[in-house]
Amino acid sequence: MYFAALLARTEDGWEASDTELDDVETLSDLADLAREASPDEDTVLVLIEQEDGWFGVVRVDGEEDPRIYVSDAAAAARSSYGEILLTDELLGREPGDEVADLDALDLDGTEDGEPDDEDDLADDGAGAGAASTGSADAVPHGPVGDAQVLEDLGVSEKELRSMTEDAVNEIAEALGASEVLETVR
């Protein structure tokens, strides 16, 4: 289960709005959606979480490039919403890297990337293990992005990195926006 919300910083405090990401296909689309939430070019945060999986924070300040933090890139890569956030730049890849297209990897038809049986791995020394290793290099396990994305708003890098299951609520609480977030949850 996913939850996504926009928190727009205004003169009067934070305003929250529930957001649908069905029509969002790129980070640029997401940034445009965030900018629409704040006509005065104030700070807008897009908070996305997959229950018990990962969370992401996208910060848009006016026309500046979005700043992104993802708690677990490997988990997010398996999610359509996470794929929006995991840009080549964020992952430190050159656009068009062959490994960048996770759909192109041959993982022997299994969902988790393991060979169908152990004989496959024994017959072919590289086998699925090589493909799995390539994807692990492309999308690291653990956090990626700008861990200081919320530093000036009262959430330190250490606090952000330590958040897990209830991160969106913890972030909103630290920002003083938990009540407004609750209205859209």
Side-chain angles (χ1 to χ4, degrees), residues 51-90:
E51 191 173 299
D52 298 329
W54 63 276
F55 71 92
V57 177
V58 178
R59 178 177 177 161
V60 178
D61 293 303
E63 292 300 318
E64 293 181 26
D65 288 340
R67 295 170 57 194
I68 306 164
Y69 175 79
V70 176
S71 66
D72 186 339
R78 295 186 297 268
S79 149
S80 59
Y81 298 138
E83 287 179 347
I84 293 169
L85 306 181
L86 297 175
T87 63
D88 288 336
E89 182 180 346
L90 187 70

Side-chain angles (χ1 to χ4, degrees), residues 119-130:
D119 292 337
D120 288 349
L121 192 56
D123 292 344
D124 180 7

Side-chain angles (χ1 to χ4, degrees), residues 122-138:
D123 292 344
D124 180 7
S132 295
T133 302
S135 66
D137 291 341

Side-chain angles (χ1 to χ4, degrees), residues 70-172:
V70 176
S71 66
D72 186 339
R78 295 186 297 268
S79 149
S80 59
Y81 298 138
E83 287 179 347
I84 293 169
L85 306 181
L86 297 175
T87 63
D88 288 336
E89 182 180 346
L90 187 70
L91 296 173
R93 298 188 297 221
E94 292 295 320
D97 278 357
E98 288 181 31
V99 180
D101 186 3
L102 295 178
D103 295 331
L105 292 175
D106 179 15
L107 297 178
D108 289 342
T110 60
E111 191 172 70
D112 61 3
E114 296 298 320
D116 288 327
D117 60 41
E118 293 184 28
D119 292 337
D120 288 349
L121 192 56
D123 292 344
D124 180 7
S132 295
T133 302
S135 66
D137 291 341
V139 182
H141 291 277
V144 295
D146 184 353
Q148 296 176 344
V149 67
L150 302 173
E151 190 98 11
D152 65 322
L153 300 174
V155 180
S156 71
E157 177 178 348
K158 182 178 179 182
E159 290 170 315
L160 189 62
R161 288 183 183 272
S162 69
M163 293 179 182
T164 54
E165 294 175 23
D166 201 25
V168 168
N169 285 332
E170 290 178 44
I171 291 168

